[in-house]
């Protein structure tokens, strides 16, 4: 059963909370990072980019240690404070198009090992090890793993009650999202939340497979080195954001391919014809409306591709996924894209971006062809996870995307 517990968060002082948290680092352009570092002394980017203080690019173990040093400075200067009582933290964001709310908590690494926390993506060993070493050096976790759970009336009732009260934080970020945080530390509520999660057979990783795996590796290593291990040590848990399945938003990833693998346009279309019924839509924008329907933009024109189901055999839940079908029937055999993670000939655009971005990239000559599909449903992801299967990389883009530096979990 899922062990989701309260913890004593390290978090920004209230008067600085609008200045500290950041988007995930990979979302920033170089110019944005530079601007933040130059003009915002409270930005969490100063911790993530410790070399800025010395005007030097730093990497590896040296960077890890300096990250820890900058973090300790934030605590020493009162930019970060730590709660004295373990708590759950209800976090809500309001954007132009969506409202998200969930519970920030500490999640058992043992549940990851025992498949109570279920996965749907493969991880890369060297990335797991690298991030494990990072966590071991810095001693904290600040970017929550996004976990999802079946909707719960008990949790919904508690969070609704709490959100009627004055929040600890209320601030806006530069992208105009509004953020709220409530602290839940009274024993009655925390115990109800803990008990409700404990009754769940499984929770699911929505985003953060490598972070989860790395935290589990750290817990395993720490346990082996601690003869007094009890299972209650902070290293046995990692930071998570628990959000109900109904509150997730799923987008597709469009595929962009650099070239046609030496095929001419007509030859490529003829080879596609074996597995798809093809309709030329001309310059009319086309987006699929049904499962197993795909869009393709090639040489200034849109095409609809309908899977010929009489030719295709559905054998398990993986074989029904559109990203998998596109991979085994088009990308791998026709375009020779074997490694979806590392092949430089393929790029991905999340469906939350304008679909016209695919057209723009092809028209400008950056890519030869683009493919689109419907987003997966969470039921499809759940079926994959429950069956112990893994989806192709970049099968789905899941929101919300969480900010770093709002709550920190120390171990």
């Amino acid at each position: 059963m899922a062990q989701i517990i309260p913890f004593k968060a390290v978090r920004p002082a209230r008067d600085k909370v609008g200045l500290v948290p950041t988007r995930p680092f990979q979302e920033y352009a170089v110019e944005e990072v530079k601007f933040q570092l130059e003009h915002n002394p409270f930005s969490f980017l100063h911790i993530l980019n410790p070399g800025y203080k010395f005007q030097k690019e730093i990497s590896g173990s040296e960077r890890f240690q300096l990250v820890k040093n900058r973090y300790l400075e934030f605590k020493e200067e009162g930019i970060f404070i730590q709660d004295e009582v373990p708590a759950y933290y209800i976090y809500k964001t309001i954007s132009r198009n969506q409202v998200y709310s969930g519970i920030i908590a500490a999640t058992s690494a043992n549940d990851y090992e025992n498949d109570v926390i279920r996965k749907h993506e493969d991880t890369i060993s060297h990335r797991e090890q690298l991030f494990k070493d990072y966590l071991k050096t810095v001693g904290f976790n600040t970017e929550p793993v996004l976990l999802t759970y079946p909707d719960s009336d008990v949790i919904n009732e508690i969070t609704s009650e709490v959100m009627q009260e004055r929040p600890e934080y209320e601030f806006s970020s530069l992208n105009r999202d509004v953020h709220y945080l409530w602290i839940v530390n009274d024993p009655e509520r925390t115990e109800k939340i803990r008990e409700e999660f404990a009754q769940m057979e499984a929770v699911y990783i929505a985003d953060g497979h490598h972070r989860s795996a790395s935290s589990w590796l750290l817990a395993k290593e720490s346990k082996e080195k601690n003869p007094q291990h009890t299972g209650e040590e902070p290293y046995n848990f990692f930071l998570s954001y628990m959000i109900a399945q109904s509150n997730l938003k799923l987008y597709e990833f469009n595929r962009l391919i650099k070239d046609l693998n030496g095929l001419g346009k007509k030859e490529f279309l003829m080879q596609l014809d074996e597995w798809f019924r093809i309709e030329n839509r001309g310059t009319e924008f086309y987006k699929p409306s049904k499962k197993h329907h795909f869009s393709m933009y090639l040489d200034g024109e849109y095409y609809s591709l309908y899977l010929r189901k009489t030719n295709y055999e559905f054998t398990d839940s993986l074989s029904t996924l559109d990203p998998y079908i596109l991979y085994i029937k088009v990308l791998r055999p026709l375009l020779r894209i074997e490694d979806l993670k590392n092949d430089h000939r393929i790029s991905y655009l999340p469906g939350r971006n304008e679909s016209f971005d695919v057209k723009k990239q092809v028209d400008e000559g950056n890519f030869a062809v683009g493919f689109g599909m419907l987003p997966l449903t969470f039921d499809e992801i759940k079926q994959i996870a429950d069956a112990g299967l893994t989806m192709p990389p970049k099968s789905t883009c899941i929101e919300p995307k969480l900010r770093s530096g709002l709550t920190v979990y120390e171990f």
Side-chain angles (χ1 to χ4, degrees):
M1 302 299 103
Q3 191 176 5
I4 315 293
I5 67 170
F7 69 104
K8 299 176 184 179
V10 175
R11 53 188 179 83
R14 183 185 284 181
D15 65 322
K16 298 178 179 65
V17 67
L19 299 170
V20 176
T22 65
R23 306 195 309 272
F25 179 71
Q26 61 272 19
E27 291 188 8
Y28 285 91
V30 174
E31 295 78 12
E32 287 183 282
V33 173
K34 182 179 179 181
F35 180 85
Q36 285 288 324
L37 293 175
E38 289 178 352
H39 299 285
N40 181 3
F42 305 113
S43 173
F44 195 74
L45 290 173
H46 284 281
I47 294 175
L48 299 178
N49 295 264
Y52 175 77
K53 183 175 182 179
F54 305 101
Q55 298 298 306
K56 180 182 177 183
E57 290 289 334
I58 302 172
S59 60
S61 59
E62 183 182 19
R63 174 180 172 269
F64 299 168
Q65 184 59 51
L66 288 176
V67 166
K68 181 177 182 179
N69 295 347
R70 295 291 82 72
Y71 172 70
L72 293 175
E73 287 176 5
F74 268 47
K75 292 183 70 177
E76 292 161 0
E77 294 170 5
I79 300 170
F80 275 138
I81 60 174
Q82 184 165 24
D83 288 324
E84 297 181 357
V85 178
Y88 293 108
Y89 302 86
I90 296 176
Y91 176 46
K92 177 181 178 181
T93 57
I94 301 176
S95 66
R96 297 176 183 178
N97 303 314
Q98 193 73 28
V99 177
Y100 299 106
S101 62
I103 298 175
I104 299 173
T107 303
S108 170
N110 194 51
D111 284 350
Y112 178 87
E113 180 180 18
N114 295 333
D115 205 36
V116 175
I117 297 174
R118 295 188 179 165
K119 314 92 178 166
H120 62 263
E121 289 184 6
D122 282 330
T123 52
I124 301 172
S125 295
H126 76 84
R127 288 185 61 190
E128 293 177 10
Q129 290 291 335
L130 180 65
F131 193 58
K132 185 266 292 181
D133 292 341
Y134 170 82
L135 293 175
K136 182 179 178 180
T137 300
V138 302
F140 65 83
N141 192 230
T142 185
E143 189 173 342
V145 173
L146 182 62
L147 296 176
T148 187
Y149 60 90
D151 285 56
S152 161
D153 291 338
V154 172
I155 292 177
N156 287 344
E157 182 179 350
I158 293 173
T159 55
S160 295
E161 288 177 359
V162 172
M163 287 191 292
Q164 298 303 312
E165 302 169 3
R166 181 179 182 272
E168 176 70 11
Y169 296 149
E170 179 180 358
F171 65 97
S172 296
S173 48
L174 293 177
N175 61 0
R176 302 194 178 188
D177 288 354
V178 184
H179 306 262
Y180 303 87
L181 187 85
W182 291 264
I183 301 174
V184 183
N185 57 17
D186 62 280
E188 183 179 353
R189 280 173 170 167
T190 57
E191 188 58 28
K192 281 184 178 179
I193 293 172
R194 185 203 288 258
E195 289 178 353
E196 184 66 9
F197 280 126
Q199 294 178 31
M200 297 179 184
E201 179 182 349
V203 295
Y204 297 83
I205 299 175
D207 186 35
H209 283 79
H210 282 91
R211 279 169 276 152
S212 303
S214 300
S215 296
W216 170 70
L217 285 176
L218 178 63
K220 182 180 177 182
E221 179 181 297
S222 301
K223 175 182 177 181
E224 292 170 352
K225 293 182 177 181
N226 182 8
Q228 307 300 321
H229 174 84
T230 66
E232 299 299 319
E233 296 87 354
Y235 60 69
N236 292 292
F237 300 86
F238 59 90
L239 188 65
S240 61
Y241 182 46
M242 310 297 302
I243 189 167
Q245 292 172 13
S246 62
N247 201 207
L248 286 177
K249 179 67 175 177
L250 280 70
Y251 298 94
E252 74 282 8
F253 270 105
N254 299 305
R255 272 77 169 133
L256 287 161
I257 314 299
K258 290 281 188 182
D259 57 70
L260 298 183
N261 189 39
L263 298 173
K265 175 182 175 180
K266 290 183 179 179
E267 185 180 4
F268 179 56
L269 290 171
M270 289 174 62
Q271 293 196 26
L272 284 176
D273 190 68
E274 179 181 358
W275 296 103
F276 301 93
R277 181 165 58 87
I278 305 172
E279 291 186 12
N280 187 327
R281 303 272 178 165
T283 58
E284 174 190 357
F285 173 73
Y286 172 72
K287 185 176 178 66
S289 59
K290 292 182 180 180
K291 188 175 171 66
H292 308 325
H293 288 190
F294 302 84
S295 64
M296 181 175 71
Y297 187 73
L298 173 67
D299 193 26
E301 296 179 309
Y302 287 98
Y303 295 82
S304 55
L305 309 180
Y306 304 141
L307 180 68
R308 297 185 187 275
K309 296 179 183 179
T310 54
N311 288 0
Y312 185 83
E313 182 179 4
F314 297 105
T315 57
D316 56 19
S317 53
L318 179 61
S319 68
T320 69
L321 298 184
D322 286 345
Y324 179 79
I325 293 170
L326 187 68
Y327 173 61
I328 64 167
K329 295 304 178 187
V330 180
L331 302 183
R332 186 175 66 186
L334 303 187
L335 299 177
R336 294 294 187 264
I337 304 290
E338 297 283 347
D339 186 345
L340 293 174
K341 289 183 178 178
N342 299 309
D343 195 315
H344 69 278
R345 295 171 56 230
I346 185 169
S347 292
Y348 303 90
L349 278 177
R352 69 174 182 269
N353 294 346
E354 291 293 333
S355 297
F356 290 105
D357 285 351
V358 173
K359 178 182 187 301
K360 181 174 182 291
Q361 290 290 332
V362 174
D363 285 347
E364 291 180 353
N366 299 320
F367 296 90
V369 62
F371 297 95
M373 64 201 85
L374 285 182
L376 300 182
T377 66
F378 186 77
D379 283 342
E380 290 178 297
I381 295 174
K382 186 177 177 181
Q383 289 170 12
I384 293 292
D386 289 345
L389 301 171
T390 56
M391 303 188 302
K394 299 293 186 181
S395 286
T396 189
C397 175
I398 300 179
E399 290 194 345
K401 298 296 183 186
L402 305 176
R403 300 183 80 80
S404 297
L406 183 64
T407 55
V408 180
Y409 178 78
E410 292 187 343
F411 40 82

